[in-house]
Amino acid sequence: MCNFNAYQYAKEKFASIGVDTEAAIEKALTVPLALHCWQGDDVGGFDSDMALSGGIQTTGNYPGKARTPEQLMADMDVAIKNIGGVLKLNLHASYAIFQKGEFADRDALEPKHFAPWVAFAKERGMGIDFNPTFFSHPKAAEFTLSSPDEEIRRFWVDHGRACLRISEYFARETGIPCVMNIWTPDGYKDIPADRIGPRARFAKSLDEMLAEPYDHSLVFPCLESKVFGIGLESYTVGSAEFTLSYAAKKGIMPLMDNGHYHPTEMVSDKIASLLLFNDKFALHVTRPVRWDSDHVVRLDDETREIAKEIVASERIDDFALALDYFDASINRVAAWIVGARNFRKAMLDALLMPHADWKALQTSGRMTELLVAQEEWKTLPAGEVWAEYCRRAGIPEDGAWLPSVLNYERDVQLAR
Ligand code: RNT
Ligand code: ZN
């Protein structure tokens, strides 16, 4: 065994381009990432047996899916131990936990229905983010917040208000602010006659919902847009223009999901514009393959470019970062881990870039040098810095976590 210290070598390599790996690791360890509970059970939830609706789909039938809160929490624990760093728990309202014989419809959900989740998060030192669930429900068969049926519309407004109260409860209990993301699948398969009517009703419903009193320093509502869904190919009520305009006017956060645009549109290019006009900005990091397929996040070019924009903006702390993917064709716990680790790697890589130097090359028009610098950066030993990050985060290095997850699959998941 030689005494060669790979991290030391990497540290020197990065120092030679003016990058401090210690500072990069330190910062990377503190950036919160919201871990989506819904990867563990194919967006199933616990409040009904209804199939997943809303134009989103999981495909695959890999065995071992979590079917109870206990199973989902156990699976999530395995994921958390292999992801490490600062994580938030990201819950959907449909993951309410009822006692035996108890039930509350979405408009009547209360903090107590999430008490076990609060206990789970507190034990692990995690904050909680929240999402009202405007799908997989009998009253979501057609439209929700933009429904022309006043009773249905009111039901969903009341759901949103209940969720704001629950979000505030999460923030108070954990001591960490709660980001509450609003996404509805409302839309039409075919060309509508009236595009403005549903959007006007949506705006009215959001106004009514956000009129619920909540502590603005503890709860940060945000609004997610989408260009289309399965069965909603021609028109979505919550389009990009609608959500951006509404969020700007009402001073709530916009949320961009990188699966929610036309295939050649890149969220990485949109981030800077949004930052100029918003104090805070939320992202759903996912991987669309030909459609909003929510594949597991890879360490691909767009994921890297998104991370680069976050870091280069010098406003990392103004982002609410969340994962949003669900793959039922592979081990769901491994999917959580590899996707989360990939995003973390992208963030660490971005922290290892000499942004000030690169910006200076751009500003002075030295684009040839910039191209060469960016390309040659790619073969620097960032993997060794990641390995050091893992050691400091107390998580297994690459190559060392999958065997234990496969043992868990054999002993626990397949035994369900
Ligand atoms: C759907 C949106 C939304 C959902 C989650 C489950 O296309 O991306 O964020 O994925 O709320
Ligand atoms: Zn999303």
Side-chain angles (χ1 to χ4, degrees), residues 224 257 260 284 324:
E224 178 178 13
D257 176 313
H260 290 190
H284 270 181
D324 182 15

Side-chain angles (χ1 to χ4, degrees), residues 184-198:
T184 76
D186 296 10
Y188 283 109
K189 181 184 175 78
D190 220 327
I191 300 167
D194 176 16
R195 284 190 161 91
I196 199 167

Side-chain angles (χ1 to χ4, degrees), residues 116-405:
W117 283 116
V118 167
F120 178 89
K122 275 174 147 177
E123 276 163 29
R124 287 152 190 82
M126 297 163 85
I128 307 178
D129 286 345
F130 200 41
N131 305 258
T133 311
F134 297 102
F135 52 83
S136 304
H137 186 278
K139 288 195 164 76
E142 295 281 337
F143 283 45
T144 64
L145 289 176
S146 64
S147 177
D149 179 327
E150 188 54 22
E151 198 189 307
I152 300 266
R153 195 186 68 79
R154 176 118 320 270
F155 175 85
W156 290 111
V157 168
D158 289 342
H159 174 52
R161 299 174 79 137
C163 287
L164 282 164
R165 296 191 290 271
I166 294 162
S167 296
E168 186 166 322
Y169 155 74
F170 287 154
R172 288 196 191 286
E173 286 289 323
T174 61
I176 299 169
C178 173
V179 173
M180 191 191 94
N181 178 47
I182 303 161
W183 171 73
T184 76
D186 296 10
Y188 283 109
K189 181 184 175 78
D190 220 327
I191 300 167
D194 176 16
R195 284 190 161 91
I196 199 167
R199 287 181 178 141
R201 287 192 294 272
F202 189 27
K204 179 173 163 218
S205 297
L206 289 170
D207 286 352
E208 290 169 6
M209 183 171 150
L210 295 169
E212 174 72 23
Y214 64 91
D215 187 327
H216 290 236
S217 68
L218 293 179
V219 178
F220 293 95
C222 62
L223 192 57
E224 178 178 13
S225 68
K226 185 160 175 169
V227 67
F228 85 100
I230 298 293
L232 312 158
E233 287 84 359
S234 299
Y235 168 87
T236 57
V237 180
S239 63
E241 296 74 16
F242 177 96
T243 56
L244 290 181
S245 307
Y246 187 89
K249 190 160 180 193
K250 298 287 169 172
I252 65 168
M253 251 198 278
L255 184 147
M256 286 188 164
D257 176 313
N258 62 302
H260 290 190
Y261 298 85
H262 294 288
T264 58
E265 271 185 282
M266 293 295 150
V267 162
S268 55
D269 181 61
K270 301 175 188 292
I271 290 172
S273 306
L274 273 283
L275 281 180
L276 286 177
F277 301 102
N278 290 278
D279 294 337
K280 288 193 175 294
F281 178 47
L283 280 175
H284 270 181
V285 180
T286 187
R287 181 163 56 101
V289 178
R290 308 203 186 282
W291 66 289
D292 180 31
S293 58
D294 289 299
H295 277 60
V296 175
V297 171
R298 282 192 186 241
L299 188 56
D300 56 15
D301 285 350
E302 175 60 358
T303 307
R304 287 172 173 280
E305 195 62 18
I306 287 172
K308 190 206 90 188
E309 286 299 314
I310 294 169
V311 174
S313 75
E314 296 177 29
R315 284 179 51 188
I316 303 189
D317 301 330
D318 293 335
F319 284 83
L321 302 171
L323 298 169
D324 182 15
Y325 56 80
F326 23 96
D327 190 338
S329 73
I330 56 174
N331 180 292
R332 294 170 183 81
V333 175
W336 252 324
I337 298 168
V338 72
R341 286 173 70 111
N342 279 337
F343 186 63
R344 283 269 163 82
K345 279 183 190 170
M347 287 296 288
L348 179 64
D349 282 0
L351 286 159
L352 291 171
M353 293 170 183
H355 296 288
D357 290 354
W358 289 358
K359 286 178 188 178
L361 288 176
Q362 173 183 322
T363 310
S364 53
R366 293 151 69 186
M367 302 307 280
T368 311
E369 285 157 84
L370 177 58
L371 172 65
V372 173
Q374 287 171 326
E375 286 306 295
E376 293 190 346
W377 181 94
K378 291 179 180 172
T379 43
L380 288 176
E384 298 304 339
V385 185
W386 168 253
E388 182 65 16
Y389 167 96
C390 291
R391 289 189 284 271
R392 295 195 195 174
I395 55 170
E397 289 175 41
D398 286 5
W401 61 267
L402 187 56
S404 71
V405 172

